[in-house]
Structures are given as structure tokens and as C-alpha cells.
Amino acid sequence: SLRVADSRRALGLAGRNFYAYPSSQLCLIGITGTNGKTTVTYLLESIIAAAGFQPGVLGTINYRYAGQILPAPNTTPESLEFQKILRLMADGGVTHCVSEISSHALALGRVDDCDFDLGVFTNLSQDHLDYHRTMERYFDAKSRLFRELLPRSNKRRSRCMVINGDDPWGRRLIEENPEDVLTFGLDGPRDIRSEDMRTSLQGIEGYLRIPGKTLQITSTLIGRFNIYNIMAAAGAAYAIGIDAAAIEHPGDIKNEAP
């Protein structure tokens, strides 16, 4: 038997080692925030596939890759299960894993032993305060992805964070990491921004500006909040080097909850 000071931490390390560092063998993107995570993962999955890569998704609805669909008991799996699924994905030809990262997962260290390529912050509003007690503690949990995990990732790159600059909590992260961030939003100068994007009962259409290019966007998603989700997915795709044509013309998705 082996005694350890922190069994949860030891489990993550053991899983990473047993499954041979699977996060090092694919592009790992973490999406966190109160609202929009699920929709952003679907959008990004479609963009990655349109670019000719093989996406995998870990999220609230299910865990899926290469035609396989697994039930999702948690938005973000426990550390050992997370490492196991990443290994299955890597061995199954997945090139990019898009994962919803919950505040519980970050607070409990479920993804501490993963090397992330990119983190996306959608927004923060009151939720899960039965667990976190205060908004500050809730933010502290969410911010671990940007304050701790991305800075120490072995795959650290410049502009490894895509953050909602219209959200006050997002602006705090931007102020802490100005050199590493791509911002998105509808208010003020942002790296990813709307240029006359309009919403109707038929969907969203208009133009989206990414660095160096303006894209024409048409989507059946409805609502202003989905403009933010589209910007988050576009910013993430741009940050990992996806071709602009795939961002502009991915496969469409059905409307999801915000």
C-alpha cells in the first residue's frame, strides 16, 4: 500500500502517468464560464471538423469522439476518467479535444495534470454558490485555468487565452494576462468583434472581425448571447491556427441553452 498526503492529487498524477500523458498528444482546449460552455463546444467542434481535423468533446451533454458517444455523469470527468478518455481519444485519431471545464472540476483539481493549449472564458454570473459560497470564491475556482494551469502547461503559447472582455470578471483576467489574451465582445475595441451582426427569429447574420480578416457569418442560433458564443468559438479557432474558411463556414448546430 501507498500513503499520500492528498489522494485526489495523487490520483491525477497516477492517471496521467498510467495513460502516458495523453494531453501531450492532442490539442486540448478548455472552455469555462457560467453560461455558453456547451454551445461553444458544439460550435468549435463543427469548426475543427470543417477544417479537416478530428475533434473530440467532453461536456455536459456527453463525451464523444470518432463516432463514439459516452454518457457524461459530470460536465468534467474525475481526474482518472479524464486521463483515460484523453488516451482513448488520442489512440482513436482525435487531433483536438474541446472540454467544458466546470468550477467544481477546477476547485477539486480534476484537470491539474493536463497540458492545455488554450483556455476560453465565456462569462461569470451567480451559480453554484451553494458550493462556492461567494462570487469571489466562484471566480477563484474558474480562474485557476488561466492563473495556474495554462501558465505552467508544457504547451504554453502566446495568446493562449480567449476571454470575454465585456464581462467584468473577464476583464480582471485580461488585466492579469494582457500579453496572453485574445479578447472578444460587443462593447469596446476587441480582438474578436461584431461588425453589424444582427439577430432575428431566423438566426444570426452579419460580419465578424478576427485579426486581419472580416468573416461573413450566418447561423440558425438565435439571441444576442449566441453572438458571444460565436465570437468565443471563432476566437478559439483563430488562436489555435484554424483556417478562416472553416470558421466562416462550419456545419450548423441546433439551438442550445445559453
Side-chain angles (χ1 to χ4, degrees):
S1 64
L2 181 66
R3 295 186 64 182
V4 296
D6 186 339
S7 58
R8 185 176 292 276
R9 180 81 181 102
L11 183 65
L13 287 166
R16 183 193 68 182
N17 294 340
F18 182 81
Y19 290 109
Y21 291 74
S23 64
S24 68
Q25 296 170 29
L26 43 69
C27 179
L28 182 58
I29 303 159
I31 316 290
T32 198
T34 303
N35 298 316
K37 295 189 298 298
T38 298
T39 300
V40 173
T41 61
Y42 272 96
L43 286 165
L44 198 48
E45 178 186 25
S46 295
I47 291 170
I48 291 166
F53 298 104
Q54 296 297 319
V57 174
L58 292 165
T60 302
I61 305 300
N62 53 42
Y63 309 148
R64 56 191 184 273
Y65 68 98
Q68 304 291 316
I69 299 178
L70 307 175
N74 297 306
T75 294
T76 311
E78 287 288 352
S79 57
L80 184 63
E81 186 72 5
F82 199 100
Q83 297 290 342
K84 178 182 178 179
I85 297 173
L86 287 183
R87 169 48 57 203
L88 292 171
M89 286 185 177
D91 290 349
V94 169
T95 58
H96 297 70
C97 174
V98 185
S99 179
E100 294 183 49
I101 308 296
S102 68
S103 58
H104 292 79
L106 288 161
L108 295 172
R110 292 179 190 167
V111 293
D112 280 17
D113 298 294
C114 295
D115 281 326
F116 284 89
D117 292 79
L118 185 74
V120 179
F121 180 87
T122 59
N123 51 64
L124 199 73
S125 59
Q126 287 202 4
D127 198 10
H128 302 306
L129 295 189
D130 57 328
Y131 180 82
H132 297 290
R133 301 301 181 189
T134 69
M135 284 297 293
E136 193 67 34
R137 289 177 62 182
Y138 182 32
F139 174 69
D140 285 344
K142 291 286 191 185
S143 68
R144 287 197 67 239
L145 179 61
F146 307 93
R147 290 171 167 172
E148 297 180 42
L149 305 190
L150 281 163
R152 73 181 187 218
S153 171
N154 289 321
K155 297 186 291 184
R156 180 173 173 79
R157 63 173 80 194
S158 62
R159 309 194 94 175
C160 60
M161 306 174 189
V162 176
I163 295 176
N164 182 354
D166 293 352
D167 183 271
W169 302 94
R171 286 196 292 273
R172 283 179 59 175
L173 291 175
I174 292 167
E175 289 168 2
E176 292 175 11
N177 306 279
E179 302 302 319
D180 291 329
V181 174
L182 279 169
T183 63
F184 67 91
L186 296 172
D187 303 325
R190 309 294 181 208
D191 299 304
I192 315 295
R193 61 187 184 273
S194 164
E195 292 191 351
D196 194 29
M197 292 182 73
R198 302 173 299 279
T199 67
S200 71
L201 293 177
Q202 285 68 52
I204 295 169
E205 63 178 0
Y207 296 92
L208 180 69
R209 183 70 181 174
I210 64 175
K213 193 172 183 65
T214 299
L215 309 178
Q216 187 171 5
I217 301 296
T218 302
S219 173
T220 58
L221 293 173
I222 60 174
R224 189 172 187 265
F225 61 86
N226 271 317
I227 296 179
Y228 281 94
N229 293 334
I230 289 169
M231 289 190 292
Y238 171 81
I240 59 173
I242 297 292
D243 187 82
I247 302 173
E248 195 168 23
H249 301 293
D252 211 349
I253 69 169
K254 297 178 181 179
N255 281 282
E256 299 287 339

